[in-house]
Amino acid sequence: MDVFGLLGNPVGHSLSPPMHEAAYEELGIEARYVTFEPEPDALPAALAGAEALGIAGLNVTIPFKRDVLDLVEPDDLAARIGAVNTVDFSGTPTGHNTDAEGIVRAFERHDVDLAGSAVVVGAGGAGRAAAFALADERMDVRIANRTVERAEELAGAVEGATAHPLDALPDLLADASVLVNATSVGMEEDVSPVPEAALHGGLAVLDAVYRPVETRLLREAGAAGATTVDGAWMLLYQGVAAFERWTGREAPVDAMNRALRSRL
Ligand code: NAP
């Protein structure tokens, strides 16, 4: 039996175990997906132990996504993003970032054409994944962040990207076709990081926040006629991409989606 898992701290409320186990059940794969919560200073030992025990694959979440980068062989995208969310232990442990693929596949699932200009709000882990993913799709990427220096640092690493303060959002969005909220704004309270008047029907809007599934940003974007993509789609497709990398099989996306959404 193969063992997969999630490394983070805390991981108690993670939706990854039911999502992956639904895939194993659907395809009749003998496998389990378990959560591990090492203390931060035990991370190198945890990874070495996982390899020694024959664990097949690990997802990685807060606070370990950056630190794992130095403990595995990252692929080019994970190295550029500076974060690993998926480790593959077949052969030398390799590190991947499926958050980026999750964003692209979530848009594709909604028939969004990734062309023209994209506005990424946020420059933390999700913002970095979004900026590199959309630039790799040849979009012109504009990064807006509360701390402008962080946006500038990210824009410096992403080909053709530009950095802006949050109050530039109305101007940035006027001719944009894609908007990603990669901040945590909207999670705790019913607030949006983007002024409602800046939203328009030419946009496809993805909110990385998935609790709640329908954020204020998505509500207002929908009312403005925009295509809306909730954060559960991103979460789903980062899991789908990890599953496919680990197993080499096409993921049963609908079964994984049902398992995920029934718990949100
Ligand atoms: P992070 O690295 O801590 O970055 C947080 C970002 O939010 C930063 O850009 C920060 O700006 C900004 N921010 C925080 N509070 C703000 C406020 N009050 N006003 C304006 N900006 C604010 O976090 P992360 O890992 O990128 O996660 C961001 C969000 O994405 C979270 O809600 C997380 O759950 C979600 N996420 C979803 C998925 C998915 O699969 N759906 C995957 C990953 C993350 P400063 O730089 O100025 O601090």
Side-chain angles (χ1 to χ4, degrees):
M1 178 190 305
D2 282 334
V3 177
F4 299 92
L6 173 66
L7 205 59
N9 197 340
V11 287
H13 297 291
S14 172
L15 297 164
S16 291
M19 179 167 66
H20 283 274
E21 295 215 329
Y24 309 149
E25 193 177 334
E26 183 76 11
L27 297 184
I29 295 174
E30 283 278 315
R32 289 286 174 274
Y33 188 104
V34 291
T35 55
F36 300 104
E37 221 172 63
E39 291 302 320
D41 61 2
L43 182 64
L47 274 178
E51 187 183 7
L53 289 170
I55 285 177
L58 287 177
N59 283 133
V60 183
T61 187
I62 289 168
F64 300 131
K65 284 184 179 186
R66 274 181 176 272
D67 292 343
V68 165
L69 196 69
D70 298 329
L71 301 170
V72 297
E73 263 184 30
D75 68 12
D76 171 65
L77 181 60
R80 284 187 290 145
I81 293 172
V84 162
N85 81 330
T86 301
V87 179
D88 184 354
F89 287 98
S90 54
T92 304
T94 53
H96 312 275
N97 191 308
T98 67
D99 284 338
E101 187 173 339
I103 290 165
V104 170
R105 288 177 75 170
F107 276 123
E108 285 172 354
R109 168 80 182 231
H110 291 78
D111 296 324
V112 174
D113 183 19
L114 293 175
S117 297
V119 176
V120 175
V121 191
R128 294 186 66 87
F132 281 104
L134 297 171
D136 282 358
E137 294 296 313
R138 308 252 168 274
M139 294 198 78
D140 150 43
V141 175
R142 303 158 178 181
I143 303 158
N145 197 46
R146 178 178 61 179
T147 309
V148 184
E149 294 75 22
R150 231 175 152 193
E152 284 167 350
E153 190 193 322
L154 175 56
V158 176
E159 201 178 342
T162 52
H164 309 268
L166 291 179
D167 61 13
L169 280 169
D171 284 346
L172 298 175
L173 285 166
D175 66 347
S177 53
V178 159
L179 165 65
V180 175
N181 172 35
T183 73
S184 45
V185 177
M187 211 159 75
E188 305 278 320
E189 292 171 82
D190 190 38
V191 289
S192 168
V194 180
E196 183 172 11
L199 300 167
H200 56 82
L203 281 171
V205 182
L206 184 151
D207 199 334
V209 172
Y210 55 87
R211 277 190 177 115
V213 175
E214 191 185 56
T215 56
R216 179 167 189 156
L217 170 62
L218 291 185
R219 246 186 6 253
E220 292 178 349
T227 301
T228 58
V229 183
D230 67 50
W233 291 110
M234 175 180 167
L235 185 62
L236 171 70
Y237 280 105
Q238 64 74 32
V240 162
F243 174 92
E244 292 180 345
R245 174 171 290 282
W246 289 329
T247 65
R249 298 180 64 170
E250 193 176 324
V253 175
D254 291 343
M256 293 172 79
N257 193 30
R258 278 195 302 276
L260 176 62
R261 284 183 189 269
S262 68
R263 285 163 178 87
L264 278 170

